[in-house]
Amino acid sequence: MQKPITASAPGKIILSGEHSVVYGYPALISAINLRLSIDSKGGILSRIPIGCGMGSSAALAVASSALKVIKGSGLNLEKVNSLAYELEKKQHGNPSGVDNTVSTYGGFLWYRKESESLKLFKSIRPKNRLDNLYVINTGRPLESTAEMVAFVNSGYKKNKAKIESVFKSIEQVARAFLNEALSKNGSSAPDLIKENESLLESLGVVSESTIGLIRRIEKFGGSAKVCGAGGIKGNSGVILVFHKDKEKLFKFAKTSNLEVFAVKFGTKGVYVK
Ligand code: MEV
């Protein structure tokens, strides 16, 4: 019997630029060490929490596209990415393509969707180890990514000038985060995360309970931001947390009954074996 082929694709974390990236603003994203694999018999194994902003649906789209595209030993990443993007469109309506692109290529990416047919991205190699960053899962939101993207769009249609100005401020944060990652001794990550979170709150994509949780994290010396589509009525998916004291943060997560991950950033993109 032939051994089944397996494709493995990573989840992702958006360091900065969620939502605004749908409108052509840049985003800084990283592949992480939580992965999904699917074999040619249809078996799926995943460590990526589903529907929480860690790119589980994109990882599934990328891994299944890889199985379709693989020929011999060569994997054409461009083909995988564009097929996965089409699958994401079916699922989400109007995705930026950021999730499937980082799951395909891995590492850290600076990404920008100029138009439907021109999506620019560049792999970057951070000089700064981006230490002290963790991920806490607030739980699966009641709203889907498609619903959250549509929610921002309804606000955009009502008050374009206001939302454009929020997006422009997010772009400033994303650029500062890029500089932070590219500088050897960056120290502005906590402030950038805080600023990004306040901009996301002004878009209305963070729930009351998640805002409360983030204020509690800030009170004991951390900062945190939603890092996906967010969520309004219940939970808001995963949040990116900066804290200098890992032990304190993990203790806090445990007593608050929250899942916390010390994720690795900049991990490998899709591969087939
Ligand atoms: C979802 O991971 C990120 C959003 O910006 C949507 C998208 O980019 O397609 C909210």
Side-chain angles (χ1 to χ4, degrees):
M1 220 172 62
Q2 233 185 357
K3 209 174 151 251
I5 310 171
T6 301
S8 162
K12 65 97 204 333
I13 284 296
I14 301 183
L15 296 164
S16 185
E18 51 276 89
H19 285 296
S20 48
V21 70
V22 174
Y23 296 78
Y25 293 88
L28 179 64
I29 52 248
S30 172
I32 55 170
N33 61 332
L34 301 182
R35 305 184 73 89
L36 172 145
S37 66
I38 173 165
D39 66 44
S40 47
K41 290 179 172 168
I44 300 176
L45 262 177
S46 180
R47 283 190 59 218
I48 310 169
I50 293 170
C52 291
M54 273 180 156
S56 59
S57 83
L60 179 60
V62 167
S64 53
S65 299
L67 285 184
K68 284 207 186 98
V69 162
I70 184 87
K71 268 202 198 109
S73 59
L75 190 59
N76 182 328
L77 292 182
E78 213 176 312
K79 271 194 188 157
V80 172
N81 196 28
S82 75
L83 191 55
Y85 176 67
E86 293 308 316
L87 291 174
E88 283 279 273
K89 273 208 288 199
K90 279 192 192 138
Q91 183 95 359
H92 297 306
N94 182 28
S96 63
V98 77
D99 292 7
N100 52 277
T101 304
V102 78
S103 186
T104 300
Y105 293 91
F108 283 86
L109 299 183
W110 180 251
Y111 180 94
R112 190 167 189 132
K113 182 182 186 178
E114 299 293 344
S115 76
E116 182 57 28
S117 55
L118 181 64
K119 302 180 204 78
L120 302 178
F121 62 93
K122 176 112 174 74
S123 288
I124 64 154
R125 278 179 192 275
K127 293 210 172 71
N128 177 335
R129 284 163 29 108
L130 295 170
D131 283 332
N132 306 317
L133 290 179
Y134 304 93
V135 174
I136 284 183
N137 192 0
T138 72
R140 188 174 181 169
L142 292 169
E143 302 84 1
S144 66
T145 297
E147 284 165 343
M148 292 306 297
V149 169
F151 169 79
V152 172
N153 192 249
S154 69
Y156 183 81
K157 280 185 187 142
K158 272 185 218 137
N159 194 343
K160 199 171 162 186
K162 181 189 154 208
I163 304 295
E164 283 281 2
S165 103
V166 175
F167 288 166
K168 279 187 188 136
S169 301
I170 294 177
E171 172 166 7
Q172 297 304 317
V173 174
R175 288 185 186 283
F177 221 129
L178 175 67
N179 287 335
E180 165 83 16
L182 294 177
S183 73
K184 272 203 180 108
N185 310 304
S187 61
S188 53
D191 291 340
L192 294 172
I193 288 173
K194 209 166 177 176
E195 202 177 330
N196 202 149
E197 168 61 20
S198 118
L199 292 161
L200 288 167
E201 286 175 19
S202 74
L203 285 180
V205 298
V206 193
S207 71
E208 284 300 322
S209 62
T210 302
I211 292 176
L213 170 69
I214 291 177
R215 293 299 96 84
R216 281 197 284 144
I217 292 171
E218 288 166 355
K219 260 198 189 131
F220 74 96
S223 64
K225 70 173 269 288
V226 154
C227 54
I232 303 166
K233 291 191 194 113
N235 304 315
S236 303
V238 286
I239 57 175
L240 177 68
V241 184
F242 179 96
H243 206 291
K244 280 203 165 138
D245 189 334
K246 183 179 178 186
E247 226 171 273
K248 226 174 172 176
L249 182 70
F250 274 59
K251 215 165 156 191
F252 168 82
K254 201 171 172 197
T255 52
S256 314
N257 221 356
L258 290 163
E259 204 178 1
V260 58
F261 303 88
V263 296
K264 283 203 179 77
F265 296 96
T267 55
K268 206 172 153 65
V270 68
Y271 61 81
V272 170
K273 62 173 194 241

